[in-house]
Amino acid sequence: MTGLDENLKRHDGEAFGAYHSYGEEKVVAFTEYINYALQGDAHLDGMLPMGPDDLFTTVADGLVLCKLINRAQEGVIFEKAINFKIKSVHHKVENLN
């Protein structure tokens, strides 16, 4: 990597050799915003606050993303449709879709 790419980190995916690159300052900013925006949410107790190193694992089940979307625009995702107790990969996929 050259130029601006030197500051990027790489996060490898689990399938098909996929990966994405990101800047550490963006991870810190997203983490801080999520902690601020969703603080006090009873469904996320034990998940938040999170540190920058926890961002990818914390959002992997879709729960934080669903809550963040509803925080931005209330009612976009019907609360009863969110899987709060993840019992299988299907629950994660439903939350992420």
Side-chain angles (χ1 to χ4, degrees), residues 10-70:
R10 178 178 166 149
H11 182 79
D12 291 321
E14 295 180 15
F16 308 111
Y19 71 91
H20 62 272
S21 301
Y22 58 91
E24 188 64 31
E25 67 282 352
K26 291 182 180 176
V27 171
V28 171
F30 284 128
T31 301
E32 289 175 357
Y33 176 74
I34 291 169
N35 286 334
Y36 170 77
L38 300 177
Q39 66 185 347
D41 189 306
H43 290 118
L44 303 176
D45 205 24
M47 296 174 78
L48 299 179
M50 66 177 154
D53 293 337
D54 303 321
L55 177 64
F56 294 111
T57 55
T58 302
V59 301
D61 66 8
L63 181 56
V64 169
L65 297 175
C66 287
K67 291 297 219 164
L68 199 57
I69 290 168
N70 274 351

